[in-house]
Amino acid sequence: MKILQKVFCLFLFISLSGCVSTNRINENNVRSVEDLTPDEIVWSEVTESQQDNCLFYCEYVVKSENIKWACVKVDLYEPWNIVAEPEIKNLGKKFFLNDFSQKYNTLVSINTVPFRKEKKSFFPISIVKINGEIISPLNERYCALGLKKRTVQSENLSEKTIDILCASIVKNQNELFIEEFDYVFGGYFVILEQNKVFEYEKYRNARSAIGISEDGRFLYFFGVCGVNDPFGNNGMSYEECALVMRKLGCYSAMEFDGGHSAGLMLKNKELIKPALQTKIPAAFGLCFP
């Protein structure tokens, strides 16, 4: 009995050991976008009294593959506040995405930077910049999302100017990119650039990703996880994520931390939550000013 318990514990440890993908596929098993999406993408509006026509979502269960994906589409030409962790005082600590969402009352939130463990603390392995303050240094190997506010002329006659968000994705983190943006969140790799899909080692897993439309107006929060997947290892490959996100309207996209760290929240609803979801040390979200 003790041997069986040890074997089970070892298997569970491997399953939960970070975001290493364990579900490898071969070249011939890459699923097409038709396999993973409905014939027509239908967006549902998230209605709020403060702002209308600025937040949309869609979700879809691929029954034949036992996976679910969800996407939240945000109009950046509306005023938003960015919230993020970790702050300096919280560096090294972990939290559940649901707690982060409730703490900041976000409308949409997602986990971000991959991390490493040092004793009992957990630190981002690449850039985190929050409101102009660098929390974690850059890592040139990985990509990043940059966000900043910009004041523009308002289309509303009652307002002269408004603050909107500008977003950009860079394939390799660098000083110039980081200096340009007030908020920068590192990820793993760019999976879509100017509509071109990039190929990587073909593993399937739960994923969290972010994308931008060609005109820069919309930001796409994307996630995928298994359905009836007790160990939380099912999902999509990077290439499959890119194909789906391109159909959703992304012109560029990148991957954040995945596996058991993956998560996507819409208000208080957990759109994406893999089985055995773990705490995370980094996340960001949007809320109304």
Side-chain angles (χ1 to χ4, degrees), residues 14-269:
I14 293 171
S15 298
L16 292 174
S17 57
C19 50
V20 177
S21 300
T22 57
N23 188 3
R24 187 165 188 170
I25 58 178
N26 62 47
E27 188 77 27
N28 296 325
N29 286 338
V30 175
R31 297 171 296 205
S32 69
V33 68
E34 290 78 17
D35 295 331
L36 298 170
T37 59
D39 294 335
E40 181 182 358
I41 300 296
V42 178
W43 295 95
S44 298
E45 183 181 356
V46 181
T47 56
E48 290 288 337
S49 57
Q50 292 175 269
Q51 296 168 220
D52 292 324
N53 300 315
C54 64
L55 192 66
F56 308 86
Y57 79 100
C58 63
E59 49 187 337
Y60 184 66
V61 175
V62 188
K63 295 181 180 179
S64 61
E65 303 293 336
N66 289 323
I67 60 172
K68 170 191 176 181
W69 59 259
C71 187
V72 180
K73 177 181 176 181
V74 179
D75 186 350
L76 297 181
Y77 287 14
E78 297 289 343
W80 295 100
N81 277 348
I82 304 170
V83 293
E85 288 283 2
E87 298 178 335
I88 284 289
K89 63 182 180 181
N90 296 326
L91 188 62
K93 299 178 181 179
K94 295 178 77 177
F95 51 86
F96 284 113
L97 184 63
N98 185 35
D99 294 333
F100 170 84
S101 178
Q102 292 185 32
K103 176 181 178 180
Y104 291 105
N105 194 29
T106 62
L107 284 171
V108 57
S109 56
I110 194 169
N111 65 295
T112 55
V113 188
F115 58 91
R116 69 182 190 279
K117 182 178 180 180
E118 292 184 11
K119 296 182 180 180
K120 294 184 178 181
S121 298
F122 301 84
F123 298 98
I125 65 171
S126 65
I127 185 68
V128 177
K129 183 179 181 181
I130 299 176
N131 198 24
E133 182 179 18
I134 293 179
I135 309 297
S136 177
L138 68 84
N139 186 329
E140 295 179 351
R141 179 184 177 187
Y142 298 125
C143 64
L145 168 74
L147 296 165
K148 64 180 178 180
K149 289 189 176 183
R150 182 163 62 94
T151 302
V152 298
Q153 192 71 32
S154 174
E155 296 178 358
N156 189 336
L157 296 178
S158 63
E159 298 177 289
K160 291 184 178 180
T161 60
I162 58 170
D163 289 330
I164 66 171
L165 285 182
C166 296
S168 182
I169 290 172
V170 67
K171 188 182 297 184
N172 299 101
Q173 298 168 25
N174 60 78
E175 294 285 356
L176 289 177
F177 183 86
I178 292 167
E179 289 176 5
E180 182 181 351
F181 293 92
D182 300 318
Y183 295 82
V184 185
F185 307 108
Y188 270 129
F189 304 107
V190 168
I191 58 172
L192 182 68
E193 185 177 58
Q194 296 182 344
N195 264 347
K196 178 186 176 182
V197 174
F198 289 96
E199 296 183 8
Y200 297 92
E201 286 192 271
K202 301 187 183 303
Y203 293 97
R204 290 194 180 120
N205 209 343
R207 306 289 184 191
S208 292
I210 201 88
I212 306 171
S213 63
E214 184 174 4
D215 61 3
R217 178 162 186 163
F218 294 100
L219 189 65
Y220 297 81
F221 294 71
F222 180 82
V224 60
C225 65
V227 177
N228 299 321
D229 177 23
F231 292 104
N233 291 326
N234 198 10
M236 291 184 190
S237 67
Y238 281 179
E239 184 178 349
E240 290 168 343
C241 286
L243 291 170
V244 173
M245 294 181 76
R246 184 168 64 180
K247 181 171 179 177
L248 289 167
C250 297
Y251 189 64
S252 59
M254 57 172 271
E255 293 281 350
F256 284 131
D257 199 7
H260 296 101
S261 300
L264 176 61
M265 297 282 302
L266 177 62
K267 300 174 71 174
N268 293 321
K269 181 180 179 181

